[in-house]
Each structure stands twice: as C-alpha cells, then as structure tokens.
Amino acid sequence: DTEVTQTPKHLVMGMTNKKSLKCEQHMGHRAMYWYKQKAKKPPELMFVYSYEKLSINESVPSRFSPECPNSSLLNLHLHALQPEDSALYLCASSQLAGVSYEQYFGPGTRLTVT
Amino acid sequence: AQRVTQPEKLLSVFKGAPVELKCNYSYSGSPELFWYVQYSRQRLQLLLRHISRESIKGFTADLNKGETSFHLKKPFAQEEDSAMYYCALKRTGFQKLVFGTGTRLLVSP
C-alpha cells in the first residue's frame, strides 16, 4: 500500500460542532504532516509529527488539535471552528522528517464551516 | 525566513513548445529544492528534487545557487503536462516544507 488515505472526503460542520479528520498510511513512514490549503493558494504547514511526537506546530489556533495515536494514524480534531477555517486539509507522510525524503500526500478533506 | 517565488500564475504554451517554469528562493543557508505537481483531480505528488539530478517525464531542474533559482524545464511540452506546479524549499536538517504560490501550466494542442 503506497497511498495516504484521508477520511472523510468532504465535511460540513457548524461553528459549535466537534469533528475529526483522519489520515492513515501503511508505508512505514515515521513522519506525518497536516497542511491547510485555501482555494488557489499553496499548502501551508500546520503540524509535523516525528516518531509519533509533535515536532512542529506552526502557531495553529487551539481549535485545531492534532493527535498521532500510532505510527500509521494521524487525526486532526476540530472544535469551535470559524468560517475562515474552511479549506482543503491535506495529510502527508514521509520516511523521516528533516531529511530530503519525498512527502506523500493524501487527497485531502474539503472542510466547510457554516 | 525562507521564501519561494513563482512569478507566473499561468503559463500557456502549445504542444511541442519548450517550457520553463520559474522558481526563485530566498534563503541564506543550504536549501533543498523540490518541484511538486498536481494534475487535475489528483493528489499533490513529487516531480523532482534537486539532489537527485534526474529527469522525470522529460522535466529537469537545476539548482543555481548564484541566482537562487530552481527553474523547471522541458524541451517539448505535451498536453498531459497540463497541471499545477509548485516549487518548494526545505532547510537542510529541518522538517518544514515551504511552497511557492504555484504556476498553472496549460498545454494546448
């Protein structure tokens, strides 16, 4: 299996809802990433996990809460989001962080906050 | 802080014409440069990385440290090359990948 999978594909949530995005890879990669991509903009890094430990938080608001339960799974818990948080959320993984390994991207979850 | 600039939002060429997608970066240290591509309705994927010095799908890119550039070139464009291309930079030994704003390449028949 050489793919990063993300669920759900689409998510619509209200500002008071709590939801989670899920990302999974079975390539044995030890680094996993969350990116946010607004329309017609490049991906922007949110979080990096390395060996299941959070190594980078790009000053992301606390209404986004990442979790890495094991080396294959990455979650992004969402709570009290704002309409401006509507975007495509991309997950990626790589063999290791900090070296020139290819990042494999998932197809993304398109989030709409109403 | 590192920055990646792709000056062209859209590049439109005819099939068989040469293509050059420009990428300039600002970073005083030793960077690692990449080109990622996103075809229509497909996920973002790596096309090239500068350390590999390889040609993928006829594309090449050379890191020019003097001009701080990493332009992507192909001598003869094909229609299937139409896609969004992102140049990206990573500081050696660090984890963060910084993307340029992207260039949409349209190859017409």
Side-chain angles (χ1 to χ4, degrees), chain B residues 22-39:
Chain B
K22 290 184 168 40
C23 172
N24 288 92
Y25 66 90
S26 62
Y27 174 56
S28 56
S30 181
E32 296 174 18
L33 274 298
F34 305 83
W35 277 99
Y36 277 80
V37 62
Q38 190 166 28
Y39 300 101

Side-chain angles (χ1 to χ4, degrees), chain B residues 2-107:
Chain B
Q2 59 270 35
R3 174 182 272 185
V4 179
T5 303
Q6 293 179 251
E8 302 132 333
K9 283 190 176 180
L10 173 66
L11 185 61
S12 187
V13 301
F14 288 105
K15 177 183 172 182
V19 168
E20 183 179 49
L21 287 81
K22 290 184 168 40
C23 172
N24 288 92
Y25 66 90
S26 62
Y27 174 56
S28 56
S30 181
E32 296 174 18
L33 274 298
F34 305 83
W35 277 99
Y36 277 80
V37 62
Q38 190 166 28
Y39 300 101
S40 179
R41 297 179 184 174
Q42 293 188 27
R43 63 188 67 195
L44 195 60
Q45 58 186 287
L46 179 68
L47 180 65
L48 284 176
R49 64 193 115 185
H50 88 271
I51 61 167
S52 301
R53 294 180 170 270
E54 55 196 344
S55 173
I56 303 291
K57 299 184 179 183
F59 284 98
T60 57
D62 290 316
L63 179 59
N64 185 324
K65 290 188 177 180
E67 295 182 359
T68 60
S69 69
F70 187 57
H71 302 328
L72 183 67
K73 299 177 184 178
K74 184 169 182 176
F76 307 104
Q78 303 299 313
E79 289 179 67
E80 55 265 30
D81 296 328
S82 296
M84 191 72 174
Y85 291 80
Y86 290 101
C87 183
L89 176 150
K90 193 173 76 63
R91 296 161 63 188
T92 302
F94 289 80
Q95 301 168 337
K96 183 177 178 179
L97 193 62
V98 176
F99 287 89
T101 49
T103 297
R104 181 165 297 283
L105 174 65
L106 283 176
V107 182

Side-chain angles (χ1 to χ4, degrees), chain A residues 55-109:
Chain A
S55 56
I56 291 181
N57 176 342
E58 286 286 302
S59 303
V60 179
S62 59
R63 56 185 184 270
F64 295 91
S65 176
E67 179 197 19
C68 190
N70 59 55
S71 59
S72 301
L73 275 176
L74 185 66
N75 297 321
L76 186 63
H77 302 297
L78 314 171
H79 173 55
L81 294 193
Q82 303 297 310
E84 58 265 29
D85 296 321
S86 298
L88 182 68
Y89 287 85
L90 297 171
C91 175
S93 70
S94 65
Q95 285 184 317
L96 286 171
V99 292
S100 191
Y101 289 116
E102 175 179 357
Q103 289 190 23
Y104 290 78
F105 284 82
T109 292

